[in-house]
Amino acid sequence: MKTEIPYYNPELSYEDNYKEGPFGYFADIVEKPDPSFAVSVKKPVSFLGCSVDLPFGIPAGPLLNSRYIKAAFHAGFDLCVYKTVRTQEHKSHPLPNVLAIHPEGVLSADCEAVLADTRYNQPLSITNSFGVPSFNPDIWQPDMAEAVKAASDHQVMIGSFQGTRGKGKIEEDYALAARMVAETGAPVLEANLSCPNEGVNSLLCFDAPLVQKIVEAIKAAVPDRPLLIKTAYFKDNAKLADLVSRVGHLVSGFSTINTLSARPLDEKGQAALSPSRPEGGVCGDAIRWAGLEMVQRLAAFREEKSLDYAIVGVGGVNKPEHYKAYIEAGANAVMTATGSMWNPHLAEETKKFLA
Ligand SMILES: Cc1cc2nc3c(=O)[nH]c(=O)nc-3n(C[C@H](O)[C@H](O)[C@H](O)COP(=O)(O)O)c2cc1C
């Protein structure tokens, strides 16, 4: 497995990554695809009514703006999600925002303590802690419109958004955010209901009645655009069944998972992110089991309840074989955040593997 310069630099602040990135290979291909990129692709497939070359891409997070999105499309990631935006400016947590973590084997879903540092060795797992920053809509809307235009034939730009708590009814802020994203021309919307920085047990996606209200409000505001909802890992299958019963017929798909929560500690046993941030979301290799399990469970409910939502499998994909495993588990599309950050050639490698 290659370790390359990541296109998002964990040593720089979110704002500096936004201004100066992407880095490494992605920096070279923002304006045009690498001329050596030559992959014979199979017949395009349909994903949520859009034609895509390979339903493989990068989920919400590491693609901060249209420059990152352009580079990712040029690198052959055919589904690119623009980092989650909000209806108003929201500052990022200070550094560190990303640290490598070193669980023994896979990570449990019990918010366990893990060693965190800056040794970014493969197979890589990281904690990310940003607090879902956003610029004001007057900055991100024109930029997202630019990102939408960057998609070539058989590529799709997905706009991720979330509402902000404490601003009146949360469902109304979600609906407003959805409308603002739709105005950019994004052909597919994704509502993030699983921000790990809002507390492990208080994730929106675990409150099925509230998710139903949010989905209904979004669909009323933007009835004509496919809607994905991004969820965390559900330990409790009955809760997942309840969520599917309430919204499985309203949404176009589930994107899962976001991250597993953990308590990153430095070598002295102190909170590695900051004393005020004892928990962080973990992504990368250590959570693949959880993403695959969620995909299998959602696929089983889809069949059992005769529904037809799509499933986007996310979590721990860092090899072409992992794409295949997610598709075999029932996913209609697969995405890689951590894996792509440290290996921007993963789409090309996956296409070659499948050719
Ligand atoms: C740097 C970074 C930032 C992220 N920011 C967001 C975000 O804004 N919205 C969101 O829904 N998920 C966010 N995520 C979570 C990813 O979309 C994904 O669900 C998670 O990283 C698991 O995939 P992976 O194992 O391939 O990294 C972020 C992940 C990373 C690595």
Side-chain angles (χ1 to χ4, degrees):
M1 203 182 296
K2 283 183 202 161
T3 304
E4 302 222 6
I5 296 173
Y7 57 78
Y8 181 97
N9 183 344
E11 287 170 11
L12 297 181
S13 68
Y14 170 75
E15 292 76 16
D16 285 345
N17 272 285
Y18 188 96
K19 267 187 261 152
E20 294 166 28
F23 300 96
Y25 175 63
F26 268 22
D28 301 335
I29 58 166
V30 171
E31 296 309 331
K32 53 180 176 352
D34 180 350
S36 71
F37 184 102
V39 184
S40 58
V41 184
K42 295 181 185 168
K43 251 185 28 204
V45 296
S46 174
F47 174 69
L48 302 180
C50 307
S51 170
V52 282
D53 210 346
L54 186 73
F56 186 48
I58 300 181
L63 303 177
L64 308 193
N65 57 38
S66 60
R67 287 194 311 282
Y68 285 78
I69 296 264
K70 281 177 192 167
F73 279 138
H74 288 157
F77 293 95
D78 296 324
L79 297 172
C80 287
V81 187
Y82 194 103
K83 180 160 173 54
T84 307
V85 293
R86 299 181 186 254
T87 56
Q88 61 181 27
E89 187 185 29
H90 195 88
K91 294 279 182 214
S92 169
H93 291 324
L95 285 169
N97 301 116
V98 172
L99 289 171
I101 60 125
H102 308 282
E104 284 167 23
V106 298
L107 189 77
S108 75
D110 298 321
C111 201
E112 64 182 75
V114 279
L115 175 66
D117 57 27
T118 53
R119 288 178 295 137
Y120 297 99
N121 303 327
Q122 297 288 0
L124 182 59
S125 302
I126 61 172
T127 178
N128 83 74
S129 173
F130 291 88
V132 193
S134 176
F135 289 95
N136 258 318
D138 60 347
I139 295 180
W140 66 251
Q141 276 194 304
D143 186 61
M144 191 184 278
E146 185 80 18
V148 171
K149 282 190 260 150
S152 61
D153 290 350
H154 316 306
Q155 294 188 320
V156 181
M157 209 307 297
I158 299 169
S160 166
F161 61 93
Q162 72 179 55
T164 303
R165 294 195 205 231
K167 286 191 70 229
K169 287 187 177 165
I170 183 93
E171 62 271 26
E172 288 174 7
D173 202 42
Y174 264 94
L176 177 60
R179 209 175 294 124
M180 288 173 161
V181 170
E183 280 166 12
T184 71
V188 176
L189 311 184
E190 181 177 284
N192 182 14
L193 300 167
S194 48
C195 169
N197 302 295
E198 295 190 351
V200 191
N201 297 314
S202 57
L203 296 185
L204 271 173
C205 59
F206 298 145
D207 185 344
L210 184 54
V211 172
Q212 186 177 350
K213 266 193 194 163
I214 290 171
V215 167
E216 284 168 355
I218 295 171
K219 290 308 293 180
V222 189
D224 63 331
R225 227 57 73 89
L227 173 68
L228 295 167
I229 55 172
K230 177 89 175 275
T231 81
Y233 174 77
F234 280 63
K235 276 211 253 184
D236 185 340
N237 212 33
K239 278 195 165 179
L240 183 60
D242 183 33
L243 181 70
V244 171
S245 302
R246 286 172 183 274
V247 301
H249 58 294
L250 300 175
V251 299
S252 304
F254 292 81
S255 179
T256 189
I257 63 171
N258 197 316
T259 52
L260 288 182
S261 289
R263 285 177 294 121
L265 301 178
D266 65 18
E267 58 191 4
K268 294 185 191 134
Q270 307 294 314
L273 290 164
S274 111
S276 61
R277 286 181 281 148
E279 291 164 13
V282 169
C283 40
D285 200 70
I287 69 161
R288 188 168 51 258
W289 69 270
L292 281 168
E293 193 195 298
M294 278 291 286
V295 168
Q296 278 158 358
R297 284 154 62 188
L298 282 167
F301 286 136
R302 179 169 59 187
E303 197 172 324
E304 194 183 301
K305 297 175 192 284
S306 302
L307 293 167
D308 65 353
Y309 52 76
I311 305 171
V312 182
V314 192
V317 173
N318 54 45
K319 282 186 194 164
E321 289 84 345
H322 299 157
Y323 170 88
K324 207 165 158 248
Y326 268 99
I327 296 291
E328 283 168 5
N332 303 84
V334 182
M335 295 192 185
T336 164
T338 310
S340 72
M341 283 162 76
W342 272 267
N343 180 6
H345 302 281
L346 192 52
E348 187 175 1
E349 288 169 13
T350 303
K351 288 178 179 182
K352 281 186 181 144
F353 173 82
L354 296 170

